[in-house]
Amino acid sequence: MRHTVSHSTEQLEHFNDFTEQFEFRKDTVLEELKKNDIPLDFDAVIGRGAVAKPIEGGTYSVTQEMIDDALNAHHRHACNLGCIIADAIAKQIPNCQCFIADPGVVDELSPYARISGSPLMNRICIWHALNQRAIAKRFARERGKKYEDFNLIICHLGGGISIAAHEHGRAIDANNALDGEGPFSPERAGSLPAADLIKLCFSGKYTEPQLLKRIAGQAGISAHLGTNNMKDVEQRVIDGDEHAKLIVDAMIYHTAKNIAAEAAVLCGKVDAILFTGGVARSEYIISELRKRIDFLAPVYCYPGEDELEALALNALEVLRGKQELKQY
């Protein structure tokens, strides 16, 4: 008997786009190496981890199972290409190892954190694990200690906002910053009134893809103010745009509220609160957040993202035997 497999037009379009993006990004990396006279001779290649199967934090060998999971990941995200590109490049180099580190689906949640108010669905976390853990390790190094020595609340302020409680080297609570949980952000809706959302789903006014965009992409600041460019938004606030100020202050309010909630997760034993991400460059946003949460613990700011450096450092630690290489 012959078996046939049918694919929807959307699935085929996604596959074609995925393949095109893979080739484009891989070739771009190789061209940059050639342009800068960097020989294709490395001990390891490390890429971003996919938004696929939940795993513990750490550095992992890229395997065929991991690649298969990335190709079939439920969530579509550019980082799903990371392990596939890294693997393709590493295979061109004799004796070259291939890794990923701290993907956005790192899951070390407390059992309590997984339980929602409905047995039909559990809480999951999709967050800026790579950058948050890199900043936590940097904070610890600056104090001559280890990441595992501290209880930290870390807030990544970017297109999405992720907030996690790090207890002695494990993120025991974190929000799903991609699918709609936590504070709203420049591009995400955050937590929404559940009944109103259900009614909207059955209103007939929107298709499923349109509503998903209203949760991630065309949501948050972008939906309220027509742009996700926070420099422009901050300038509007400075110029006296009262509506822009109301929306930004509301984002700050909800972000601070979620940070304070993580203090309860840590039973009030918080050594520091760390801010990171691109939006952490905003003096206005950081200063207003400080006013609301600095009573909890000392506040430190690490603007921008250290994700490329974080990948390199994770690979080096494995190669130097300072970090265990985990198996997927």
Side-chain angles (χ1 to χ4, degrees), residues 101-224:
D102 295 329
V105 287
V106 165
D107 185 344
E108 301 165 338
L109 296 182
S110 152
Y112 308 121
R114 299 182 194 282
I115 299 173
S116 77
S118 170
L120 296 175
M121 61 194 86
N122 288 329
R123 286 187 67 243
I124 65 168
C125 55
I126 301 177
W127 56 297
H128 302 89
L130 180 61
N131 192 42
Q132 284 209 23
R133 285 169 59 90
I135 292 301
K137 291 176 183 178
R138 176 179 166 186
F139 172 84
R141 281 197 307 272
E142 291 172 352
R143 284 148 187 81
K145 295 185 177 183
K146 295 181 179 180
Y147 168 40
E148 293 79 8
D149 294 330
F150 293 96
N151 280 355
L152 304 169
I153 298 172
I154 306 181
C155 176
H156 180 109
L157 298 163
I161 294 177
S162 66
I163 303 168
H166 297 248
E167 183 178 57
H168 301 301
R170 293 179 66 83
I172 62 170
D173 195 276
N175 63 308
N176 182 344
L178 180 62
D179 283 341
E181 188 182 47
F184 72 84
S185 70
E187 297 177 355
R188 312 280 199 270
S191 299
L192 295 170
D196 288 343
L197 181 59
I198 291 170
K199 290 175 183 176
L200 199 60
C201 290
F202 286 90
S203 69
K205 296 179 180 179
Y206 303 97
T207 64
E208 181 182 344
Q210 287 172 333
L211 281 172
L212 289 172
K213 280 289 186 182
R214 296 298 182 103
I215 289 175
Q218 299 167 2
I221 295 288
S222 179
H224 281 286

Side-chain angles (χ1 to χ4, degrees), residues 8-19 76:
S8 69
T9 302
E10 184 182 1
Q11 287 175 318
L12 290 172
E13 288 177 353
H14 171 58
F15 177 78
N16 291 335
D17 180 61
F18 197 97
T19 303
R76 297 182 181 180

Side-chain angles (χ1 to χ4, degrees), residues 9-323:
T9 302
E10 184 182 1
Q11 287 175 318
L12 290 172
E13 288 177 353
H14 171 58
F15 177 78
N16 291 335
D17 180 61
F18 197 97
T19 303
E20 184 179 319
Q21 285 294 320
F22 161 71
E23 294 293 345
F24 170 75
R25 292 172 188 246
K26 174 178 67 72
D27 291 346
T28 298
V29 172
L30 295 174
E31 286 168 11
E32 284 299 312
L33 291 173
K34 187 175 181 180
K35 190 187 301 181
N36 290 278
D37 296 320
I38 300 172
L40 194 63
D41 182 18
F42 300 99
D43 295 306
V45 178
I46 186 165
R48 291 287 301 273
V51 185
K53 184 176 76 174
I55 56 176
E56 287 189 335
T59 302
Y60 290 78
S61 289
V62 173
T63 64
Q64 187 58 50
E65 182 184 356
M66 181 188 293
I67 291 171
D68 291 342
D69 286 346
L71 287 168
N72 295 288
H74 173 70
H75 293 90
R76 297 182 181 180
H77 196 283
C79 66
N80 292 346
L81 291 160
C83 66
I84 304 171
I85 294 172
D87 179 70
I89 293 174
K91 283 179 176 175
Q92 298 182 40
I93 307 167
N95 302 314
C96 182
Q97 298 186 68
C98 186
F99 311 135
I100 60 102
D102 295 329
V105 287
V106 165
D107 185 344
E108 301 165 338
L109 296 182
S110 152
Y112 308 121
R114 299 182 194 282
I115 299 173
S116 77
S118 170
L120 296 175
M121 61 194 86
N122 288 329
R123 286 187 67 243
I124 65 168
C125 55
I126 301 177
W127 56 297
H128 302 89
L130 180 61
N131 192 42
Q132 284 209 23
R133 285 169 59 90
I135 292 301
K137 291 176 183 178
R138 176 179 166 186
F139 172 84
R141 281 197 307 272
E142 291 172 352
R143 284 148 187 81
K145 295 185 177 183
K146 295 181 179 180
Y147 168 40
E148 293 79 8
D149 294 330
F150 293 96
N151 280 355
L152 304 169
I153 298 172
I154 306 181
C155 176
H156 180 109
L157 298 163
I161 294 177
S162 66
I163 303 168
H166 297 248
E167 183 178 57
H168 301 301
R170 293 179 66 83
I172 62 170
D173 195 276
N175 63 308
N176 182 344
L178 180 62
D179 283 341
E181 188 182 47
F184 72 84
S185 70
E187 297 177 355
R188 312 280 199 270
S191 299
L192 295 170
D196 288 343
L197 181 59
I198 291 170
K199 290 175 183 176
L200 199 60
C201 290
F202 286 90
S203 69
K205 296 179 180 179
Y206 303 97
T207 64
E208 181 182 344
Q210 287 172 333
L211 281 172
L212 289 172
K213 280 289 186 182
R214 296 298 182 103
I215 289 175
Q218 299 167 2
I221 295 288
S222 179
H224 281 286
L225 301 178
T227 180
N228 63 359
N229 188 319
M230 291 307 294
K231 286 185 178 180
D232 291 346
V233 170
E234 187 170 10
Q235 189 59 51
R236 284 166 63 173
V237 173
I238 293 169
D239 292 341
D241 184 329
E242 289 297 325
H243 181 61
K245 185 177 187 304
L246 173 67
I247 299 304
V248 172
D249 286 352
M251 182 181 77
I252 292 167
Y253 171 92
H254 288 287
T255 301
K257 185 171 68 172
N258 279 262
I259 290 170
E262 298 298 354
V265 169
L266 295 170
C267 298
K269 298 175 182 178
V270 185
D271 295 306
I273 298 169
L274 312 182
F275 286 110
T276 184
V279 179
R281 295 189 178 95
S282 168
E283 292 183 10
Y284 177 78
I285 290 173
I286 294 300
S287 64
E288 292 300 308
L289 281 167
R290 283 180 184 272
K291 291 177 185 178
R292 291 188 176 275
I293 51 89
D294 66 2
F295 71 94
L296 293 168
V299 177
Y300 301 86
C301 190
Y302 297 85
E305 300 186 23
D306 283 349
E307 291 181 330
L308 292 178
E309 182 180 359
L311 287 174
L313 289 174
N314 275 293
L316 280 171
E317 286 188 351
V318 168
L319 293 173
R320 291 169 177 168
K322 294 181 178 180
Q323 183 187 151

